[in-house]
Amino acid sequence: MFSSFGQIAGRPQLLILSLMIFAQGSAFGATVPYLSVTAIGSLGMSDQSYSLLVLVSSVSAVTISVSLGILSDMLGNRRHMLIAMSALGVVGYGAIYFFPSIPVFLGATSLVVPFFYATSSLLFASARLETGDLDQGDAAAINATLRAIVSAAWVLTPAGLGLALGASGSMIGAWGLASLFCLFILICALFALKPNGSRPVRDTKAPGFFAALKELAAPDMLIRMFSIAAITSTLRLSSTIWPLILTLKLGGKTADVGLIAGMTALTEIPFMLMWAHLLKRLSIIRIIVTAALGYGGYMVALSFAAAPWHIYALALPAAAFAAALLAIPLNYFQDLFPGRPGLGTAFLPINSFLGNGLNAAAFAIGSYFLGYSGTAWLGLILAVLGVVGLLSVERRVARIA
């Protein structure tokens, strides 16, 4: 199960990229959980302004990430892009830390920091290239392991910041720490990454920018995108409703929410390593379908929860299936374009954007008509629809081939 760590450690460029991925995940983990608290609670932003900020920053992030992913395949040298994007991260996060005000927060979060978000796609695309000489199973296992490193960053950084800054009443310091993580990535990109990586990074047969966008809009690709988004949106829907069920329906405490969330995130890491190992034996489609249906079953069980301890008991199966849905889809998209990791990795922000939209719609409809427990059944419906769509397009493509 831990062989992927040995392969990462044995490849200097891949090891550097894994450290950069941890730093990038830590920058996100330091700020995203405290975004609303800082914007509304500390800076005094209105609820409406914050909602607009989230929308604008989401659109900016997905547009920039997809564009840079495609351009990285065309230009080949991702190191220069990583230098520029991490430098913008230093500036954006640093501006909020040194000049905490609503105008600075709005400008940095909606226009500057989204460029740093693109480093996620660039780093995973670079890592994929470093495993180009491995068989598909080993490469996918390493990729899933790197995704587990991101989860580890999300477990460690928010918890440490909460302990360090919680008593101060302000989380602005989190943006200062995020700026330091960006600086670490910048230094690694400048002095540790090889100019062109360990292997050729440019696909001379890669289509132009608009041709690549046309590929993304092809019917089969759209079905794949919406199917995977429907499946992964169940994770977001669950994280939205189970705290509400626990605290408002079952009489649980706020402390229970934090404990269950931390326990689930921590448990996901070993399960990610397990799924990464299984990639060497099972197909990606089989793992995604199994995890999607398993998580749909968890959502159904969640709707029947009648006591706080039921939520605690369900945390283990939730973590087991969620781990696969967090780690494996990236491999699926990258395998669709084996010679163009930038385009394949560009599906990651698209999936996140679509998943958030489906989650918002499901929660709005479900909470109004079905209540919180009834909304959990919509998670099952989303998972089943995603599985049906995914299997249908894969069977059609296989039949044509």
Side-chain angles (χ1 to χ4, degrees):
M1 184 185 299
F2 297 98
S3 60
S4 295
F5 283 111
Q7 290 177 308
I8 292 173
R11 294 167 177 255
Q13 290 294 289
L14 196 55
L15 179 59
I16 293 167
L17 286 168
S18 68
L19 295 175
M20 296 169 72
I21 286 171
F22 180 83
Q24 181 258 356
S26 295
F28 289 175
T31 55
V32 173
Y34 306 111
L35 198 65
S36 60
V37 174
T38 302
I40 298 173
S42 298
L43 300 179
M45 189 180 296
S46 67
D47 294 342
Q48 294 76 16
S49 297
Y50 178 74
S51 298
L52 181 61
L53 172 64
V54 172
L55 175 62
V56 172
S57 62
S58 297
V59 173
S60 297
V62 71
T63 303
I64 292 168
S65 295
V66 171
S67 299
L68 290 179
I70 295 173
L71 287 173
S72 71
D73 288 332
M74 297 170 59
L75 302 176
N77 197 330
R78 292 172 176 83
R79 176 173 169 267
H80 290 160
M81 290 186 177
L82 284 169
I83 292 171
M85 298 308 107
S86 57
L88 286 172
V90 173
V91 172
Y93 286 126
I96 294 173
Y97 175 68
F98 287 109
F99 310 103
S101 63
I102 292 179
V104 171
F105 194 90
L106 285 172
T109 304
S110 62
L111 299 176
V112 182
V113 174
F115 280 95
F116 173 69
Y117 290 165
T119 58
S120 177
S121 298
L122 294 172
L123 288 169
F124 276 99
S126 299
R128 184 70 171 191
L129 286 168
E130 292 298 325
T131 60
D133 61 330
L134 300 176
D135 63 61
Q136 193 173 23
D138 286 335
I142 289 176
N143 219 44
T145 302
L146 293 174
R147 182 58 184 80
I149 291 175
V150 176
S151 293
W154 272 81
V155 170
L156 297 173
T157 307
L161 272 174
L163 292 174
L165 302 177
S168 68
S170 173
M171 298 302 296
I172 288 294
W175 274 259
L177 181 62
S179 183
L180 293 178
F181 281 123
C182 295
L183 181 61
F184 174 81
I185 296 172
L186 175 60
I187 292 172
C188 288
L190 281 170
F191 302 109
L193 283 185
K194 293 183 178 179
N196 292 309
S198 300
R199 294 168 181 82
V201 294
R202 184 176 182 179
D203 184 0
T204 56
K205 299 179 181 179
F209 183 83
F210 292 104
L213 286 179
K214 188 176 180 179
E215 286 185 89
L216 294 180
D220 284 347
M221 296 309 303
L222 290 176
I223 294 174
R224 287 184 171 108
M225 282 191 285
F226 277 97
S227 296
I228 295 294
I231 290 171
T232 56
S233 69
T234 59
L235 304 178
R236 296 171 173 83
L237 185 61
S238 170
S239 65
T240 301
I241 62 173
W242 74 255
L244 298 172
I245 294 174
L246 176 64
T247 56
L248 301 181
K249 182 181 177 181
L250 305 181
K253 300 178 180 179
T254 305
D256 293 321
V257 175
L259 186 58
I260 293 173
M263 181 175 66
T264 302
L266 188 61
T267 309
E268 284 172 355
I269 297 173
F271 277 114
M272 283 185 181
L273 299 178
M274 182 198 75
W275 289 114
H277 179 71
L278 289 176
L279 277 170
K280 300 177 181 180
R281 302 181 181 181
L282 303 176
S283 69
I284 289 179
I285 295 296
R286 185 174 179 180
I287 290 178
I288 292 177
V289 169
T290 300
L293 296 179
Y295 203 82
Y298 153 74
M299 295 292 283
V300 172
L302 184 63
S303 70
F304 289 105
W309 71 266
H310 291 167
I311 307 294
Y312 276 93
L314 289 171
L316 182 62
F321 295 119
L325 300 181
L326 288 169
I328 306 303
L330 176 59
N331 290 299
Y332 172 69
F333 287 130
Q334 286 184 333
D335 286 348
L336 295 175
F337 302 95
R340 288 176 285 163
L343 181 60
T345 310
F347 282 96
L348 199 60
I350 295 175
N351 178 70
S352 179
F353 183 77
L354 294 176
N356 285 333
L358 290 172
N359 167 47
F363 179 73
I365 295 171
S367 59
Y368 185 81
F369 292 104
L370 305 173
Y372 297 140
S373 293
T375 303
W377 283 85
L378 295 183
L380 173 64
I381 293 173
L382 285 170
V384 171
L385 289 176
V387 166
V388 171
L390 187 61
L391 290 178
S392 65
V393 72
E394 291 301 325
R395 286 173 179 171
R396 182 169 64 253
V397 170
R399 190 163 54 246
I400 294 174

